[in-house]
Amino acid sequence: MSDAERRDDAPSHFIKDIVRADLAEGRYRGVVTRFPPEPNGYLHIGHAKSICLNFGLAQEFGGRCHLRLDDTNPETESMEYVRAIQEDVRWLGFDWGEHLYFASDYFDRLYEWAVELIKKGKAYVDDLSAEEIRAYRGTLTEPGRESPYRNRSVGENLDLFERMRRGEFPDGSKVLRAKIDMASGNLNLRDPIMYRIKRATHYRTGDAWCIYPTYDWAHGQSDSIEGITHSICTLEFEDHRPLYDWFLDALGVHHPRQIEFARLRLSYTVLSKRKLTLLVQEGRVAGWDDPRMPTIAGLRRRGYTPEAIRDFCSRIGVAKKEGVVDVALLEHCLREDLNRRAERRMAVLRPLRVVIENYPEGRVEELEAVNNPEDASAGTRKVPFSRVLYIERDDFMEDPPRKFFRLAPGREVRLRYAYFVRCTGVVKDADGNVVELRCTYDPATRGGDAPDGRRVKATLHWVSAAHAVDAEVRLYDRLFTDPNPDGIKDDFREALNPHSLEVLTGCKLELSLGNVEPGERYQFERLGYFAADPDTRPGRPVFNRAVTLRDTWAKVRARGS
Ligand code: ATP
Ligand code: MG
């Protein structure tokens, strides 16, 4: 984490105001937050917002932030997800120290507390079916009806609840409910369910339990057990807050404050775990870490840096009002970060062979290339130049339109860090396709301008053929073609972009990229920012395009101002 990020000049927001006021009034003595993902999928950029918020508050107020796996639902959770979540939070730059917790570790405590509520006459065992419970619940305009089992005696409830736990009743035949108010204007207070019978093997507790607590029953009590002061969640839990408070008051235990904020929504992106899981399960992407996925693992593989993601989270801010953030802002944050830090290299993605006819055969020159014009300390490197080169196919046109200033028959251009070259001939195959260019070079232009002052209108990147490293390069486009895939009526999958991945093989990289390690990031001059993929093998790089050089966000901003 940079010092600038640590300093408390980070933008303020309403949650910080609440925390500050709570501390000033002595409501809490310190700040303890938590990030509570359910281990039923990989973390995504929306979670990053919550992670930056929760860990950021702890840092700013000198408190701590817990990582809690909210694992009360045995059917969809797994250790793979627990591991991935830890890796991703750490990679983002946050540390929970020894405060790693699992809601499943609280199953005993939650059970005891449920017994306590029964003894206080505040919970009861209900035999109604799930459908009946729904029907009895009423609607926003109609009050609910009380279950015929609502007034069971404390003794009977204690006995039935214990037998539920022992496995005497079939799945779904009974539930434990809080006894609150079936006429409440808030549906969440109409005797919400606390426990269900479900015979499912939990990835941590195995078959020790056949009753599992609901989110509402588990979450606030977990917060209380850990001494959380500020329990921050997304807006859809606003209507649950009275219930959150009711449980804690009924138990008379440490009472955190729940605060809701607007979840991140991003254009051209889905962030629902259910939908992301579908994409993985149906093979629409290569996995959770597919570089097209908005997951932290996918963004990392794509070439995103933790710094860029944290910068993005800081810029979008924290508010109570929902809005859609332009995905171009996320891309902009990456570009800004990599522009500062990524070294430049030359790479030709769609090679066209060029022979410099007046360059001596067998001669090789080492030309000096700047590693990063934004960072003098990055120094320079040597790039080999020889008689046969590759340039980008797009950089030549046999019959160029007026605005095309790159190479064409008879025309002269600069090869970056090398010489002026002029195209003197075109070699074609039997079908008339251009397969090679013949050029001449001007030895007097080495590494700079022409002594006679003549100008060229384009500078091209190139790679020496004899020294080139063969590579695969994967170009990504947005995964969805619609700015709001969640809004598609029938199925968000209809908005999938069939051209979201283009794999180029036979790309030619400059010599210095022969031994890249997965994760290394570069700017390929004129092409964009690229990251070496984990599929890279020694001498066989595989690169992902993280982002192009064209900054649509900066353009939008310029137009707006
Ligand atoms: P989904 O609703 O897709 O199932 P979730 O919110 O239930 O996702 P959790 O694992 O419960 O996923 O989320 C962990 C934490 O991350 C929660 O505190 C939640 O509020 C927060 N979070 C999840 N999605 C977003 C988002 N898009 N923006 C901000 N915070 C989010
Ligand atoms: Mg959730």
Side-chain angles (χ1 to χ4, degrees):
M1 198 131 319
S2 71
D3 288 347
E5 282 177 281
R6 276 189 204 284
R7 264 185 273 124
D8 46 13
D9 55 3
S12 200
H13 49 68
F14 78 99
I15 297 183
K16 284 190 200 175
D17 296 341
I18 295 174
V19 171
R20 251 183 238 115
D22 279 348
L23 293 175
E25 288 162 18
R27 175 168 173 155
Y28 302 110
R29 260 173 294 142
V31 172
V32 186
T33 55
R34 85 288 174 263
F35 172 63
E38 181 176 359
N40 62 351
Y42 278 56
L43 299 181
H44 54 61
I45 184 73
H47 293 116
K49 176 178 180 177
S50 175
I51 293 167
C52 290
L53 174 58
N54 281 294
F55 281 92
L57 283 171
Q59 269 165 11
E60 192 169 331
F61 289 95
R64 61 175 201 262
C65 180
H66 298 180
L67 176 61
R68 181 194 316 143
L69 285 306
D70 200 351
D71 56 354
T72 56
N73 183 8
E75 269 131 352
T76 54
E77 298 162 357
S78 80
M79 214 53 215
E80 179 202 346
Y81 295 134
V82 171
R83 267 185 236 110
I85 286 167
Q86 295 189 58
E87 183 184 354
D88 291 348
V89 175
R90 254 192 223 112
W91 178 79
L92 274 176
F94 298 104
D95 184 6
W96 53 88
E98 64 233 52
H99 300 286
L100 173 67
Y101 301 107
F102 293 83
S104 53
D105 283 342
Y106 307 143
F107 282 170
D108 281 309
R109 185 72 158 278
L110 291 169
Y111 180 85
E112 285 160 24
W113 271 343
V115 168
E116 203 177 312
L117 289 193
I118 293 174
K119 286 183 181 159
K120 289 182 172 169
K122 293 182 185 229
Y124 63 98
V125 173
D126 195 354
D127 295 1
L128 291 184
S129 68
E131 260 159 72
E132 288 166 327
I133 289 177
R134 218 170 300 128
Y136 275 64
R137 169 158 297 180
T139 64
L140 283 173
T141 49
E142 270 173 63
R145 279 181 292 145
E146 294 188 355
S147 163
Y149 305 99
R150 194 174 197 260
N151 293 313
R152 278 176 161 152
S153 68
V154 167
E156 191 183 1
N157 280 320
L158 285 174
D159 173 60
L160 288 172
F161 186 49
E162 199 196 323
R163 289 165 59 198
M164 274 171 68
R165 179 191 184 166
R166 282 209 306 260
E168 290 189 18
F169 307 115
D171 285 14
S173 62
K174 287 182 172 31
V175 292
L176 184 75
R177 299 178 73 174
K179 193 171 182 176
I180 308 181
D181 178 7
M182 289 307 291
S184 170
N186 184 333
L187 292 174
N188 293 300
L189 295 179
R190 294 186 188 171
D191 293 9
I193 295 174
M194 296 168 62
Y195 278 96
R196 292 193 174 84
I197 305 174
K198 197 185 308 187
R199 284 172 180 76
T201 303
H202 187 278
Y203 77 101
R204 290 185 81 241
T205 58
D207 296 318
W209 294 86
C210 66
I211 57 171
Y212 288 95
T214 55
Y215 174 90
D216 282 324
W217 172 239
H219 199 86
Q221 283 45 255
S222 301
D223 284 343
S224 180
I225 290 169
E226 292 176 21
I228 301 299
T229 57
H230 296 87
S231 174
I232 299 165
C233 58
T234 44
L235 279 183
E236 67 274 21
F237 292 102
E238 194 164 17
D239 287 346
H240 294 242
R241 187 176 355 118
L243 177 56
Y244 183 98
D245 291 335
W246 188 91
F247 279 134
L248 293 167
D249 288 339
L251 292 168
V253 293
H254 167 73
H255 196 141
R257 181 201 284 281
Q258 176 180 303
I259 307 170
E260 309 84 20
F261 73 104
R263 62 172 50 232
L264 170 66
R265 295 177 56 209
L266 252 196
S267 63
Y268 296 96
T269 309
V270 299
L271 291 181
S272 138
K273 258 196 234 169
R274 186 183 61 79
K275 289 179 181 173
L276 295 176
T277 306
L278 271 182
L279 295 177
V280 173
Q281 282 173 352
E282 293 178 351
R284 312 240 177 193
V285 292
W288 284 101
D289 69 343
D290 186 301
R292 291 167 293 180
M293 290 283 273
T295 50
I296 306 299
L299 293 169
R300 173 167 63 233
R301 188 163 182 181
R302 174 97 169 230
Y304 270 81
T305 60
E307 290 83 356
I309 294 176
R310 294 200 303 262
D311 180 34
F312 170 76
C313 290
S314 140
R315 290 195 202 200
I316 58 176
V318 178
K320 199 102 188 167
K321 194 168 143 279
E322 285 235 12
V324 180
V325 175
D326 190 337
V327 70
L329 174 60
L330 180 61
E331 293 163 356
H332 172 80
C333 292
L334 179 61
R335 246 179 233 114
E336 270 206 355
D337 187 33
L338 292 184
N339 180 45
R340 259 179 265 126
R341 300 198 292 153
E343 292 199 356
R344 276 54 170 173
R345 292 292 184 271
M346 291 200 285
V348 174
L349 301 190
R350 296 176 181 86
L352 175 60
R353 208 175 124 91
V354 174
V355 177
I356 314 286
E357 292 184 312
N358 60 340
Y359 196 86
E361 241 166 295
R363 178 157 147 200
V364 179
E365 275 178 276
E366 300 268 304
L367 301 174
E368 180 131 312
V370 174
N371 282 332
N372 186 353
E374 303 287 322
D375 175 11
S377 73
T380 60
R381 70 187 183 285
K382 299 285 188 203
V383 182
F385 184 87
S386 65
R387 181 179 154 89
V388 182
L389 314 169
Y390 293 110
I391 64 164
E392 211 68 62
R393 203 156 258 285
D394 293 0
D395 282 337
F396 172 80
M397 281 185 91
E398 197 175 10
D399 189 13
R402 256 179 17 139
K403 292 249 165 100
F404 186 88
F405 299 117
R406 293 167 271 165
L407 203 55
R411 190 179 288 172
E412 191 170 46
V413 296
R414 177 191 281 112
L415 295 182
R416 186 116 163 107
Y417 305 120
Y419 298 98
F420 284 17
V421 295
R422 186 182 300 280
C423 178
T424 53
V426 175
V427 180
K428 295 184 180 176
D429 65 11
D431 300 326
N433 301 311
V434 175
V435 292
E436 183 181 293
L437 302 182
R438 312 296 287 190
C439 290
T440 56
Y441 86 115
D442 178 354
T445 57
R446 190 184 204 258
D449 292 318
D452 63 6
R454 79 183 187 279
R455 303 288 206 148
V456 290
K457 285 195 171 145
T459 298
L460 308 186
H461 62 274
W462 53 274
V463 169
S464 166
H467 307 90
V469 176
D470 277 301
E472 178 177 317
V473 175
R474 301 169 184 169
L475 304 180
Y476 301 98
D477 197 353
R478 286 170 185 164
L479 190 51
F480 294 95
T481 53
D482 192 289
N484 179 19
D486 287 322
I488 307 269
K489 261 212 207 84
D490 297 321
D491 188 346
F492 75 103
R493 287 167 290 194
E494 282 170 23
L496 277 167
N497 176 6
H499 308 294
S500 59
L501 170 61
E502 185 182 359
V503 178
L504 301 177
T505 54
C507 304
K508 304 290 183 180
L509 313 185
E510 68 167 72
L511 186 61
S512 66
L513 292 172
N515 287 310
V516 290
E517 297 285 336
E520 287 181 27
R521 306 175 187 91
Y522 296 94
Q523 184 194 98
F524 290 172
E525 294 209 22
R526 301 175 63 226
L527 298 174
Y529 294 98
F530 292 76
D533 190 83
D535 289 343
T536 292
R537 296 289 166 263
R540 294 291 303 184
V542 176
F543 272 95
N544 297 315
R545 184 173 69 197
V547 67
T548 60
L549 293 175
R550 208 184 52 223
D551 194 336
T552 52
W553 176 256
K555 233 184 268 165
V556 168
R557 250 186 338 185
R559 234 184 287 136
S561 64

